[in-house]
Amino acid sequence: MSRRLASAALAIMWVLAIAVALAAARYFLDPVPLLLRAQALALARHPEWVLLHIACGVVAILAGPFQFFASLRTLHPAVHRATGYLYLAAIFLGGCAGLRLSPDTAQFVAEGLSDQTPFELVGMAPSALGFAPNARYEASQFVLVVLGFAGLALAWIVTSAAALVRARQRRFADHQAWMTRSYSLTFAAVTVRLMSAPLLVVTQNPVVAITLTFWSWVLNLMVAEWLLRRGQPKRVLA
């Protein structure tokens, strides 16, 4: 990958990460603006867990990229370690919150898809994305969504724990590889938001589209592995 292309990819990653972090930060305003039905339900049912998950996600998605700056590792190792521990702590706490929230994810998704308000706001017919008029969805249709969300939370914790263990063992090349995998899962916060609308357009089936959206983190992990096998994660991310 050329240096110019790598720099462009890094810039896009930063812009998307900051955009998602700013959008998520609105949950800490009072009142919370632009809440849809599913989001309001989640916040009402589990306010502490939702806010913990969001706060940790914001910290992780913003702190993670600093781990891949070679100059920071070389010139300011103490800052590199501090941001690394902050990133890992955010993931362990945020991942545990995600596991706690995952059993209710199906209900939140069903409520969200049954809400026609977003279509009214943008003036779009629900049928354009495969929604039947006045369609109602049940939580039982989204069992795979629960598994996808829980799987992401668990993989997030496991890859980050592996990165920490490798660092403590001073196996720094392996540490960087596991941090790459970990941040690819952190970046799922971006890809989930980017993929939902295209999948709805392509599949014209809300149940299939949202289920695939919640499993899109697998694609992130595949891209990370591809970069690692090419031996270019430093040039892409540093």
Side-chain angles (χ1 to χ4, degrees):
M1 181 181 291
S2 69
R3 184 177 296 273
R4 181 176 296 180
L5 185 58
S7 298
L10 179 62
I12 292 171
M13 183 187 76
W14 267 107
V15 168
L16 291 173
I18 291 171
V20 167
L22 289 175
R26 79 186 192 281
Y27 278 83
F28 297 94
L29 299 176
D30 186 19
V32 183
L34 304 175
L35 273 187
L36 299 178
R37 182 191 298 174
Q39 297 165 335
L41 176 62
L43 192 58
R45 185 174 294 181
H46 303 295
E48 297 86 0
W49 290 108
V50 168
L51 293 178
L52 177 62
H53 183 67
I54 291 172
C56 290
V58 168
V59 170
I61 203 167
L62 294 179
F66 288 100
Q67 293 300 293
F68 302 103
F69 285 114
S71 58
L72 185 66
R73 292 195 302 269
T74 303
L75 301 176
H76 304 285
V79 176
H80 172 76
R81 287 192 296 271
T83 55
Y85 281 121
L86 177 65
Y87 172 79
L88 293 172
I91 286 177
F92 294 140
L93 290 173
C96 289
L99 287 173
R100 173 61 184 85
L101 292 168
S102 60
D104 285 339
T105 309
Q107 184 61 49
F108 300 151
V109 170
E111 288 289 333
L113 291 180
S114 299
D115 184 8
Q116 301 292 307
T117 304
F119 295 103
E120 296 171 1
L121 291 175
V122 300
M124 177 186 291
S127 58
L129 296 181
F131 288 82
N134 300 316
R136 296 290 304 176
Y137 296 90
E138 302 296 331
S140 59
Q141 295 175 275
F142 301 102
V143 174
L144 291 179
V145 165
V146 174
L147 296 177
F149 192 72
L152 171 59
L154 187 59
W156 205 26
I157 293 171
V158 169
T159 54
S160 303
L164 176 60
V165 169
R166 300 305 188 276
R168 300 291 292 178
Q169 294 172 338
R170 304 187 67 81
R171 295 164 54 184
F172 296 122
D174 290 339
H175 166 68
Q176 285 181 266
W178 280 104
M179 285 294 284
T180 300
R181 296 181 182 104
S182 171
Y183 194 72
S184 76
L185 296 175
T186 302
F187 206 71
V190 174
T191 52
V192 162
R193 289 163 173 79
L194 290 178
M195 292 188 69
S196 57
L199 284 170
L200 282 167
V201 171
V202 170
T203 65
Q204 291 290 297
N205 186 321
V207 175
V208 171
I210 298 304
T211 299
L212 291 175
T213 296
F214 273 82
W215 280 93
S216 62
W217 58 268
V218 175
L219 179 61
N220 291 35
L221 204 54
M222 290 172 64
V223 171
E225 288 298 323
W226 176 74
L227 290 172
L228 291 170
R229 290 179 184 277
R230 281 173 57 90
Q232 295 184 348
K234 293 181 182 179
R235 278 188 283 172
V236 173
L237 298 174

